């Protein structure tokens, strides 16, 4: 069940759009674009970042529009708002917790789920006093295809 990151983003976007449909939120081209940007972004953008990225495509969109749409997404549980001190909120597309194994030969990325790691955040918070927003873990190795090539 390997798939590339592009495919994974596409799946997540599709799920998000399905959720919008189920909750009766109209999917406007702007909403679609904002969601797509969030799904593809690994950096937890601010409303302003999203606005700057999309203003070329939607000249009549304002930062307020972006923010209002993000609020809608947050209320239906698609996005979480991360606040760091007094800087602008950043927005994070909520995915189910999963981790990546990355092949060092062909760069293939495979997802796997490992629920046991949820406690890592609580532990980190307990030990350091940090308010933890998320964690990421990447595991590197060689995929079966590349390992088999070595044998022949």
């Amino acid at each position: 069940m390997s798939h590339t990151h592009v495919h994974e983003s596409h799946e997540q976007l599709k799920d998000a759009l399905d959720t919008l449909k189920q909750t009766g939120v109209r999917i406007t081209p702007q909403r679609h674009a904002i969601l797509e940007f969030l799904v593809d972004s690994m950096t937890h953008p601010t409303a302003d970042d999203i606005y700057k990225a999309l203003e070329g495509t939607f000249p009549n969109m304002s930062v307020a529009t972006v923010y209002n749409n993000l609020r809608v997404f947050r209320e239906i549980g698609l996005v979480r708002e991360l606040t760091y001190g007094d800087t602008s909120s950043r927005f994070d597309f909520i995915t189910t917790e999963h981790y990546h194994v990355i092949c060092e030969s062909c760069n293939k990325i495979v997802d796997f789920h490992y629920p046991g790691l949820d406690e890592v955040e609580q532990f980190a918070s307990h030990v350091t006093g940090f308010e933890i927003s998320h964690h990421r873990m990447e595991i590197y190795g060689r995929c079966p295809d590349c390992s088999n090539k070595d044998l022949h």
Side-chain angles (χ1 to χ4, degrees):
M1 266 290 298
S2 72
H3 52 247
T4 59
H5 183 71
V6 174
H7 176 70
E8 180 189 306
S9 306
H10 180 72
E11 286 294 303
Q12 288 175 358
L13 183 62
K14 200 168 101 16
D15 290 348
L17 293 169
D18 286 347
T19 304
L20 286 183
K21 281 187 201 114
Q22 285 157 15
T23 44
V25 174
R26 221 158 55 82
I27 301 170
T28 62
Q30 292 180 351
R31 282 185 177 149
H32 190 281
I34 292 170
L35 263 184
E36 190 164 23
F37 184 81
L38 277 167
V39 169
D40 288 338
S41 165
M42 292 285 132
T43 55
H44 308 135
T46 62
D48 211 49
D49 295 335
I50 298 172
Y51 168 72
K52 287 197 180 87
L54 299 178
E55 65 179 335
T57 320
F58 302 101
N60 54 358
M61 179 165 73
S62 67
V63 176
T65 313
V66 174
Y67 198 78
N68 291 335
N69 281 318
L70 288 167
R71 242 194 355 246
V72 170
F73 297 156
R74 191 190 63 207
E75 278 158 17
I76 57 180
L78 285 178
V79 164
R80 82 186 104 183
E81 192 170 343
L82 310 170
T83 42
Y84 298 110
D86 55 355
T87 56
S88 316
S89 293
R90 295 180 164 277
F91 292 88
D92 182 19
F93 183 77
I94 296 177
T95 53
T96 48
E97 287 300 330
H98 68 268
Y99 303 98
H100 291 146
V101 184
I102 300 156
C103 179
E104 290 167 310
S105 299
C106 67
N107 294 320
K108 175 162 64 188
I109 298 176
V110 180
D111 290 353
F112 71 100
H113 294 261
Y114 183 67
L117 277 177
D118 295 348
E119 290 155 28
V120 160
E121 293 189 6
Q122 288 156 14
F123 184 73
S125 170
H126 180 71
V127 172
T128 61
F130 273 56
E131 200 174 294
I132 308 294
S133 64
H134 64 290
H135 69 272
R136 48 190 297 197
M137 179 174 74
E138 291 172 350
I139 295 181
Y140 293 86
R142 293 167 71 75
C143 70
D145 295 343
C146 292
S147 302
N148 288 337
K149 271 187 213 129
D150 290 351
L151 301 174
H152 302 307

